[in-house]
Amino acid sequence: MTETRELPDAAVADAPPGNWVDRYAPASSRPYLRLSRADRPVGTWLLLIPCLWAIALAVAADPAGPGLTDLWLVVSSAVGAFLMRGAGCTWNDLTDRDIDAAVARTRSRPLPAGQVTPRRALAWAIVQSLLAACILFTYNATAILLGVASLGLVAIYPFAKRFTWWPQVFLGLAFNWGALLLWAAHQGSLGWPPVLLYGAGITWTLFYDTIYAHQDREDDALIGVKSTARLFGDRTRPWLCGFLVLAVVLMAAAVLAALLPQGRPLQLAVALGGVCGFGWHMAWQLARLDTDDPARCLMLFRSNRDAGLIAALFLAAAALL
């Protein structure tokens, strides 16, 4: 089984050392912030980044260009990502508390460690969801309906590892929903560009979460939890290569579908440059992957924040041209 380090103050074993929750948050709030993964912010970034892709690409495809409403979309999606990631992780820990207690990396989480009762965890999940709803209701009707529809995916995901070898697909469906929602929040409707961008995000999630799942491969096998890491085994590298290529192709197709009709070659070139940078970073990860090294897997998983931000920054630059 994977060895984990003992940490003071009931810190979660796989949280970055010296994170702000462990150092600065009031002691009474720490278990709840840890339930929300505030001590491990990469997940919030991975939820936010598809929203940023969609906002930037929607603005780039809009002849009117950026406006103050788009600034609100960026700020509100950042706050919403923090809240909904927190609510989703709290719900995940509620449903998985018995499984987490049997896995070395996760048994220090607040619920299996006995720092929070299930009833209080559920109340915390509801509070975060209601705050996120206040943000959602500032958007247009299409975006609101999409936001409400996403709750089904959030509810189902924690159970996926019990009935399918592909729980990462359900995570991808939930984590990249913002690509549809924020495009609709700007444009008022959907179309091929956000659907293709959503597909790129799902494939990217299959890439990074398979890497992440290799940390728990042995423990998962002992307790019967399914994952793509266990499914692929020694064939992980070619599968990840396939996900890399598909993610890049789908993102490039989204950019072409959104920007080719605009007839602006410089804007298109800048956006495609971001797609290339995104693919390069994933290739960099693949070259350094060692699925038998949990620390390396965690490091590469966390680096996907940078991969996603490369694409987001180039798309934002294209939107400003």
Side-chain angles (χ1 to χ4, degrees):
M1 298 175 71
T2 304
E3 293 184 1
T4 56
R5 49 195 170 88
E6 293 295 327
L7 296 177
D9 192 32
V12 176
D14 60 351
N19 66 81
W20 75 272
V21 172
D22 295 344
R23 295 181 65 185
Y24 303 119
S28 60
S29 70
R30 288 174 191 164
Y32 298 96
L33 292 171
R34 289 167 183 151
L35 275 175
S36 300
R37 308 289 199 275
D39 54 344
R40 286 153 286 167
V42 65
T44 300
W45 280 108
L46 296 175
L47 184 60
L48 171 62
I49 284 169
C51 302
L52 300 180
W53 291 348
I55 296 167
L57 191 59
V59 171
D62 187 345
L68 287 177
T69 301
D70 300 306
L71 179 60
W72 166 244
L73 292 181
V74 171
V75 173
S76 62
S77 62
V79 177
F82 178 82
L83 291 169
M84 282 309 297
R85 192 249 181 158
C89 287
T90 305
W91 171 245
N92 184 80
D93 282 9
L94 267 168
T95 60
D96 282 357
R97 58 189 184 274
D98 293 333
I99 292 174
D100 286 346
V103 176
R105 184 179 59 83
T106 58
R107 64 169 61 107
S108 58
R109 289 178 177 176
L111 277 163
Q115 300 167 24
V116 179
T117 65
R119 180 175 296 180
R120 289 188 176 185
L122 179 59
W124 179 233
I126 293 171
V127 167
Q128 294 173 96
S129 300
L130 291 174
L131 291 172
C134 293
I135 293 174
L136 177 66
F137 291 143
T138 68
Y139 297 165
N140 59 47
T142 303
I144 291 171
L145 289 173
L146 285 167
V148 173
S150 71
L151 295 178
L153 293 171
V154 175
I156 292 170
Y157 165 67
F159 301 100
K161 65 176 75 71
R162 295 164 169 82
F163 62 80
T164 178
W165 288 99
W166 294 83
Q168 281 72 23
V169 170
F170 287 85
L171 180 66
L173 290 168
F175 248 56
N176 295 280
W177 194 260
L180 302 176
L181 196 157
L182 270 300
W183 178 282
H186 176 90
Q187 296 278 19
S189 62
L190 292 176
W192 276 112
V195 171
L196 292 166
L197 202 61
Y198 183 49
I202 293 170
T203 315
W204 178 42
T205 302
L206 281 164
F207 179 89
Y208 66 64
D209 205 58
T210 297
I211 293 174
Y212 183 83
H214 270 284
Q215 296 177 93
D216 301 327
R217 194 177 60 225
E218 295 178 7
D219 285 341
D220 287 349
L222 288 174
I223 60 180
V225 168
K226 299 177 174 66
S227 73
T228 49
R230 288 188 61 207
L231 177 65
F232 301 156
D234 294 337
R235 297 174 293 122
T236 291
R237 193 174 295 275
W239 274 98
L240 293 183
C241 186
F243 295 146
L244 186 165
V245 172
L246 185 56
V248 169
V249 168
L250 287 171
M251 185 178 287
V255 168
L256 291 170
L259 301 185
L260 266 183
Q262 306 305 314
R264 300 172 185 165
L266 178 59
Q267 185 187 47
L268 182 60
V270 170
L272 290 175
V275 177
C276 292
F278 173 68
W280 168 83
H281 197 287
M282 293 173 72
W284 174 86
Q285 294 177 55
L286 195 54
R288 285 155 181 78
L289 178 63
D290 179 358
T291 57
D292 294 321
D293 183 348
R296 175 67 63 88
C297 290
L298 182 59
M299 182 274 290
L300 292 174
F301 164 76
R302 287 175 174 162
S303 76
N304 278 278
R305 179 201 66 175
D306 299 337
L309 284 177
I310 289 171
L313 289 172
F314 274 79
L315 289 173
L320 296 174
L321 286 175

